[in-house]
Every structure is written in structure tokens, then in C-alpha cells.
Amino acid sequence: SFPVSRLYEYPTSVVSVVINREFEGEPAVFIGKINSPETLSLREIDERIDGYTTGPIEAFGSYRRMLRISKLPQPVRRILWWYSLCASGVVKNKMFGTFGVNSTAGVRFEVAQFLTPITTSLYYGLPDNAGRMKIQMAIDHRVFDAMTAAKGCYELEKVLNTEMVAEILGEEMNSKS
């Protein structure tokens, strides 16, 4: 929005995955980023998320950046956040990614609404007994409307029920042989 309002189209997708970790004996939230997730297999994505969850915190640039920024005085942090969110699409992509994914499935809890600094965030829970899973999307209405989001959700459902199921079944068949 600075110096004038404009839209910025990112060259690639970058997903920000919310990761809960322990840091210095306390629970902490980190953001693991995956560049171009649409080009990766489910196994590759799972391995990256597992690395973000179990690997050494110092091994990940996004974690180190968050820790460096958190040590700065509050006025400096606020200026950096403002710059990252408002002044540069390139910096916003580097800091926050293009969309986020978060899950409360492990704690059987559902989020009704949350604020996010990025245009789109997906969050999901556990599948029910029939195998259905609720996936919710939070969007920035300044960027696109609910119909666009709904079309995206239908496309996501189609991919989840076809391509991703085929990939999972294919990996299971390969592991059995």
C-alpha cells in the first residue's frame, strides 16, 4: 500500500506452514516455507514439514530470521513488519510466502476466524468417520471475492480427491512391492 495501493503478482507460490516447536524450553510458533509446492510430491512436502518439525532450529533460514527480528526493540520490529507487509511484494513473499497452511487436527479443535498477513490461508481438521475433512479458507477480500475463493476450493477438492489420492495409493502400492 505504500506509496500507492497496487497489486503484486508473485512469480512462484510459496507456502508458509505453521510449525509448533519447543525453543529454549518454551513452546514457540515458527513458519516453515516451501517454495513451489505444486512441483513437489506429497512425500517431498511431508519430508520438508518433518524437517521443520524435528530438525535443528538453526538449520532453517526462516527460523533464524524470525529469531533475529524478535530480538530487536519493538519500534524497529514494527517498522520491519510494516515494510514487509506494505512496501515491497518481494519482501512480503520472502517473509510471509504467498499463502499459508495451518492445522488444528492434532488437538480436535476448529478455528472460526483468524487474521493473517497474507492473501489466503487454509486450515483443516481431522477427517470424520466417512473420510470427509473440513477445509476452511481465510481470504483478503481486497484481492479477490468469495466466488473466486469458492472456485479455488472446488478445484482443491477435485485435486485432493483425484491426483492426491492416486499419488498416495501409488506410493502404497510401491512400498508393498
Side-chain angles (χ1 to χ4, degrees):
S1 61
F2 180 82
V4 295
S5 295
R6 65 202 179 282
L7 290 177
Y8 174 79
E9 186 173 346
Y10 299 104
T12 60
S13 294
V14 179
V15 61
S16 293
V17 181
V18 178
I19 306 288
N20 290 296
R21 296 279 310 254
E22 186 174 302
F23 178 69
E24 296 181 350
E26 296 288 331
V29 176
F30 289 91
I31 303 295
K33 293 193 338 220
I34 302 173
N35 294 319
S36 302
E38 70 278 5
T39 65
L40 303 174
S41 70
L42 291 175
R43 183 170 303 286
E44 290 170 313
I45 292 170
D46 186 55
E47 287 170 357
R48 292 198 186 176
I49 292 171
D50 186 55
Y52 280 129
T53 304
T54 61
I57 287 174
E58 308 78 36
F60 306 107
S62 62
Y63 288 10
R64 291 190 309 267
R65 185 179 318 105
M66 288 174 69
L67 292 172
R68 274 194 317 270
I69 291 171
S70 70
K71 292 177 184 175
L72 297 172
Q74 184 181 18
V76 175
R77 286 196 317 263
R78 288 188 183 253
I79 290 169
L80 283 173
W81 272 81
W82 173 85
Y83 178 78
S84 299
L85 289 170
C86 301
S88 171
V90 173
V91 174
K92 185 174 181 180
N93 189 21
K94 183 178 178 98
M95 295 292 286
F96 304 106
T98 57
F99 70 101
V101 175
N102 193 0
S103 173
T104 56
V107 293
R108 297 189 179 274
F109 179 80
E110 195 171 288
V111 177
Q113 178 182 355
F114 66 92
L115 298 174
T116 176
I118 51 185
T119 305
T120 309
S121 288
L122 298 171
Y123 51 104
Y124 58 93
L126 288 171
D128 64 18
N129 291 335
R132 295 179 306 239
M133 178 188 299
K134 182 188 267 187
I135 298 176
Q136 297 178 347
M137 179 187 291
I139 63 170
D140 184 340
H141 278 281
R142 297 171 299 175
V143 180
F144 55 88
D145 68 3
M147 282 305 286
T148 303
K151 289 176 186 176
C153 287
Y154 287 124
E155 286 297 314
L156 175 61
E157 182 179 29
K158 189 169 80 174
V159 169
L160 288 171
N161 289 325
T162 57
E163 296 171 33
M164 292 183 85
V165 169
E167 184 176 338
I168 290 167
L169 293 175
E171 286 187 11
E172 286 179 4
M173 296 299 284
N174 290 337
S175 67
K176 290 179 182 176
S177 53

